[in-house]
């Protein structure tokens, strides 16, 4: 099976989006690890829109690549995922998350002292001081943004045998999906399993990245796999692109408008999750709007980005190290910059540009050239150059 170029390009564009998403977090009024003294609610429009679909899109794209892994023997697949996901997750927890938690502690005045004093406290018990029980929430509590790698590792292993079965013997299932989704807009119907998972689980596991979110991310991963292996579903995506865009726009606008109408029935429908009917609507609408944006983004990628250039391979290779590094670099730079007496836009620009420069230098000079650092950041061994 040949390389699917639009998946690579969408992954590259998604990681750039995440970078600016996290850069913006310094300036919104919601909680984050380090905050700028002057905050703006207008930033929430950007963050709220991106938050509707960005992480589900990452899981979808990861599932779309899953067909290549599913054709390997299980032990080979397990080794690949361990090196690609688990190793950088563990190394990130040990090396990159402590600096984030340190500047967070300084910023929030929950810690005062030097970095090495913090490390002694952190590794003597603080790293695992999260009484959450058997819950995937624990994966993210110790790893911050690296929760994605931990969740993806577990989901990939759990779905391996199902993906392998469908790839080899799933023709009837795929034909059934094709019949259900063959009409224009038919691909939208695939949001239903995600909505059911949300309605059944979110009430009991409301925290971000707990079991409800884990189940939904697993379904987005599986849907990405189905899309890659099913030509009929690809065509349904293309036929459903503008219908999905329309639904996505309408629901997104309704969601944002509801914040200014909280006391009305309309506002309660989107904001009050204590009434079961409202809660069920919110989970259903949330799954629908997320899936519609994914359909539109992926179908647009299919149509316009399924091409190779000299930039695709090096950029795609850098995506994982960039993701692993970016939040630590942003927080270290941002912790200093937010204390300056500058306008918000000037701070945003300086943080973004200096972080991009720092990540690029570290990647080019420290990570990419050496096999040991490539190993730590989930990259394959450096290719042997032939004379």
């Amino acid at each position: 099976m040949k390389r699917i170029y639009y998946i690579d390009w969408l992954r590259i564009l998604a990681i750039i989006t995440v970078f600016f998403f996290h850069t913006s977090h310094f300036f919104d009024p919601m909680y984050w690890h380090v905050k700028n003294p002057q905050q703006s609610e207008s930033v929430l429009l950007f963050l709220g829109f991106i938050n509707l679909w960005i992480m589900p899109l990452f899981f979808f794209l990861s599932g779309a690549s899953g067909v290549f892994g599913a054709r390997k023997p299980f032990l080979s697949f397990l080794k690949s995922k361990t090196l690609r996901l688990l190793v950088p997750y563990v190394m990130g927890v040990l090396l990159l998350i402590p600096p984030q938690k340190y500047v967070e502690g300084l910023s929030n005045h929950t810690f005062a002292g030097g970095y090495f004093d913090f490390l002694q406290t952190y590794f003597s018990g603080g790293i695992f001081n999260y009484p959450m029980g058997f819950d995937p929430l624990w994966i993210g509590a110790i790893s911050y943004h690296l929760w994605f790698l931990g969740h993806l590792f577990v989901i990939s292993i759990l779905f391996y045998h199902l993906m392998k079965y469908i790839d080899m013997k799933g023709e009837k299932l795929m034909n059934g999906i094709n019949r259900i989704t063959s009409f224009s807009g038919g691909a939208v119907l695939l949001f239903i399993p995600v909505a059911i998972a949300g309605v059944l689980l979110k009430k009991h596991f409301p925290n971000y990245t707990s079991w409800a979110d884990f189940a939904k991310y697993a379904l987005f991963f599986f849907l990405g796999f189905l899309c890659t292996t099913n030509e009929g579903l690809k065509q349904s995506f293309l036929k459903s692109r503008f219908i999905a865009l329309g639904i996505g726009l309408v629901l997104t606008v309704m969601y944002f408008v509801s914040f200014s109408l909280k006391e009305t029935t309309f506002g309660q429908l989107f904001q009050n999750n204590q009434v079961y009917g409202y809660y069920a609507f919110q989970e259903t609408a949330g799954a629908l709007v997320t899936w519609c944006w994914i359909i539109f983004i992926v179908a647009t990628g299919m149509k316009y980005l399924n091409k190779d250039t000299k930039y695709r391979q090096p950029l795609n290779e850098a995506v994982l190290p960039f993701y692993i590094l970016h939040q630590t670099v942003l927080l270290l730079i941002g912790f200093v910059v937010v204390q300056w007496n500058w306008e918000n836009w000037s701070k945003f620009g300086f943080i973004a540009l200096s972080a991009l420069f720092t990540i690029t230098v570290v990647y080019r000079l420290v990570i990419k050239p050496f096999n040991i650092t490539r190993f730590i950041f989930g990259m394959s061994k450096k290719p042997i150059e032939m004379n």
Side-chain angles (χ1 to χ4, degrees), residues 108-314:
N108 296 331
H109 307 292
T110 57
F111 183 85
Y115 183 59
F116 292 103
D117 295 327
F118 171 81
L119 288 180
Q120 185 176 6
T121 303
Y122 183 65
F123 286 111
S124 64
I127 185 173
F128 296 118
N129 188 22
Y130 299 101
M132 298 172 184
F134 184 65
D135 195 314
L137 187 66
W138 183 83
I139 294 174
I142 66 170
S143 65
Y144 284 7
H145 71 295
L146 299 181
W147 70 266
F148 169 69
L149 301 184
H151 279 233
L152 183 57
F153 175 77
V154 175
I155 289 169
S156 299
I157 302 306
L158 290 176
F159 274 83
Y160 168 80
H161 291 291
L162 179 58
M163 292 190 297
K164 193 171 189 69
Y165 176 82
I166 291 175
D167 186 47
M168 297 177 63
K169 301 179 181 179
E171 187 175 351
K172 287 185 178 179
L173 172 64
M174 303 306 266
N175 289 338
I177 293 174
N178 286 341
R179 286 193 296 270
I180 294 171
T181 62
S182 60
F183 62 94
S184 295
V188 174
L189 295 176
L190 295 176
F191 90 97
I192 293 174
V194 181
I196 293 173
V199 171
L200 292 178
L201 295 174
K202 194 66 173 178
K203 199 76 171 177
H204 304 288
F205 304 100
N207 291 321
Y208 182 54
T209 73
S210 188
W211 286 113
D213 288 339
F214 181 87
K216 290 190 284 187
Y217 290 141
L219 288 169
F220 284 121
F221 175 90
F222 184 58
L223 288 169
F225 168 77
L226 291 180
C227 177
T228 308
T229 55
N230 189 338
E231 187 61 36
L233 190 52
K234 291 180 187 178
Q235 295 304 314
S236 181
F237 263 54
L238 291 169
K239 289 191 291 185
S240 303
R241 181 163 57 119
F242 291 111
I243 294 173
L245 174 62
I247 296 172
L249 285 171
V250 169
L251 285 176
T252 301
V253 170
M254 291 173 67
Y255 171 67
F256 283 126
V257 169
S258 71
F259 282 95
S260 62
L261 300 171
K262 286 185 178 180
E263 302 306 318
T264 67
T265 302
F266 176 80
Q268 292 287 298
L269 186 62
F270 282 88
Q271 302 296 329
N272 181 3
N273 63 4
Q274 299 306 307
V275 178
Y276 186 82
Y278 293 163
Y279 154 78
F281 170 81
Q282 290 162 24
E283 288 302 314
T284 302
L288 177 58
V289 71
T290 296
W291 183 238
C292 284
W293 283 117
I294 288 176
I295 290 174
F296 177 72
I297 292 167
V298 172
T300 302
M302 288 178 185
K303 189 169 180 66
Y304 297 108
L305 298 178
N306 201 26
K307 60 189 73 173
D308 197 12
T309 76
K310 63 180 180 180
Y311 302 108
R312 180 200 58 80
Q313 191 278 331

